[in-house]
Amino acid sequence: MRIGMIGLGRMGMNMARRLLRGGHEIVAYNRTREKVDQIMKEGAIGATSLSEVTESLPKPKIIWLMLPAGQLVGDYVEQLVEILSPGDIVLDGGNSYYKDDLIRAEVLSARGINFMDMGVSGGIWGLDKGYCLMAGGRREIYNYLEPVFKTLSQEEGCLYCGPAGAGHFVKMVHNGIEYGMMQAYGEGFEILKSSSYTESLDLSKVAHMWNHGSVIRSWLLELAEEVFEKDAGLNEIEGFVEDSGEGRWVVREAVDMGVASPVIALSLMQRFNSRKNNSFSDRFLAALRHEFGGHFVVPAQ
């Protein structure tokens, strides 16, 4: 299939590359021209405007947005409404709030344009390992685009979750779970680091060992092993842990639904607290976020 990819950041660029490698055609657009030129060297068709993207696509036109969540996505949807036609498809693969999806789906459907929200997990590693995709929207559109999703995802790593908003809702909860898991790992490694056995413990080897048969084995532990191999004491960064916003959303949803989620809520609070302290566990969280997602870290002063 030929797909218009709008936004060539950490995720969008690698997703475009994986689609190209899978035999799909990409019409690429980004606000900064350098990234368009870069992906053109890898086989994509470059575009200098949204109109040029749509003019290069067959019917039904498929536009995949990989943009920062918020007003920017809404702005692009407003532009696309004016240049797309009934039957065309817009996908939002960023970390958008699911309630925003409901508004955008309504705006687009009023013109006969299909909308799908795509929760995407896999970080910067998705290019080679494949992504995990959580889809919301009309089932028939999901079925039509399934060859694209199978190219992007790991085997069995793509799921139709329900109507508009469902994909980003599932991704929001996914990220809340991620917060809790990372916090538990960080606290555990800080206990090891603070113990009387710290001199004899190699935390990289501990992470490696735990990933072989233990009940807490995970990809995050694989990344933890790499983190400690690079900087055993995590002395090269500050313990400033950003949050993408999805942790806040899922805690609000839990409050609204009356669902107890103390681990996720406290892990979110700890991220706020990290901006005042510089503990080992916070440096671990910051390093792990950088390792799987390429997220910004604050260098040690």
Side-chain angles (χ1 to χ4, degrees):
M1 290 185 176
R2 178 175 286 195
I3 303 155
M5 182 66 73
I6 312 300
L8 300 172
R10 287 191 306 265
M11 295 290 283
M13 179 68 85
N14 280 349
M15 291 172 71
R17 286 177 172 137
R18 188 170 174 91
L19 288 169
L20 286 168
R21 293 177 186 179
H24 299 280
E25 297 180 323
I26 294 296
V27 182
Y29 171 73
N30 194 73
R31 286 184 297 177
T32 55
R33 180 67 195 185
E34 292 80 6
K35 291 185 177 180
V36 176
D37 292 339
Q38 183 179 345
I39 198 67
M40 286 176 66
K41 294 176 182 176
E42 301 177 42
I45 302 165
T48 58
S49 67
L50 284 183
S51 295
E52 190 175 340
V53 172
T54 59
E55 290 166 3
S56 301
L57 297 173
K59 291 286 294 180
K61 301 179 189 296
I62 304 168
I63 301 289
W64 194 310
L65 302 175
M66 288 302 299
L67 302 167
Q71 186 58 46
L72 183 62
V73 177
D75 292 343
Y76 272 80
V77 168
E78 289 179 7
Q79 295 177 62
L80 289 168
V81 164
E82 301 302 322
I83 58 178
L84 292 177
S85 303
D88 292 340
I89 303 167
V90 176
L91 301 98
D92 177 10
N95 282 333
S96 291
Y97 187 32
Y98 82 97
K99 290 186 177 179
D100 291 339
D101 295 328
L102 304 180
I103 298 170
R104 290 160 190 161
E106 185 175 353
V107 168
L108 289 164
S109 65
R111 299 288 187 93
I113 303 167
N114 298 290
F115 175 78
M116 292 208 75
D117 51 286
M118 296 296 301
V120 181
S121 184
I124 57 178
W125 297 80
L127 172 61
D128 295 319
K129 295 182 178 293
Y131 298 91
C132 177
L133 303 178
M134 295 147 264
R138 292 172 55 201
R139 181 70 196 228
E140 53 266 41
I141 302 302
Y142 174 87
N143 292 342
Y144 176 72
L145 294 173
E146 196 166 18
V148 176
F149 303 150
K150 286 186 174 181
T151 298
L152 283 170
S153 65
Q154 290 191 12
E155 186 175 357
E156 300 186 40
C158 184
L159 181 68
Y160 174 73
C161 299
H168 279 146
F169 186 87
V170 174
K171 176 58 163 49
M172 176 186 72
V173 176
H174 162 284
N175 279 26
I177 294 169
E178 172 195 302
Y179 277 41
M181 290 175 64
M182 290 176 63
Q183 184 65 35
Y185 282 138
E187 292 174 8
F189 280 113
E190 181 158 22
I191 292 170
L192 293 176
K193 182 72 172 175
S194 302
S195 74
S196 60
Y197 300 106
T198 185
E199 295 300 323
S200 62
L201 285 174
D202 182 326
L203 297 186
S204 176
K205 291 182 178 178
V206 171
H208 180 83
M209 173 267 297
W210 276 345
N211 250 339
H212 290 78
S214 91
V215 297
I216 62 169
R217 61 188 181 272
S218 73
W219 182 52
L220 288 174
L221 268 183
E222 293 178 24
L223 297 176
E225 179 182 349
E226 297 182 19
V227 163
F228 290 129
E229 283 179 352
K230 294 174 183 176
D231 181 10
L234 304 181
N235 297 315
E236 297 180 2
I237 62 172
E238 295 289 329
F240 184 103
V241 188
E242 290 187 319
D243 69 285
S244 63
E246 296 203 20
R248 305 183 191 209
W249 299 338
V250 74
V251 169
R252 289 189 196 123
E253 290 294 322
V255 171
D256 289 345
M257 293 186 290
V259 175
S261 54
V263 171
I264 295 174
L266 288 174
S267 66
L268 174 64
M269 298 304 116
Q270 184 57 34
R271 291 199 177 193
F272 298 157
N273 192 53
S274 76
R275 294 152 202 183
K276 298 179 182 178
N277 302 310
N278 187 29
S279 69
F280 183 83
S281 62
D282 289 336
R283 297 200 301 277
F284 172 82
L285 295 185
L288 205 56
R289 289 184 83 249
H290 177 73
E291 198 68 24
F292 72 71
H295 298 290
F296 173 75
V297 295
V298 178
Q301 302 298 313

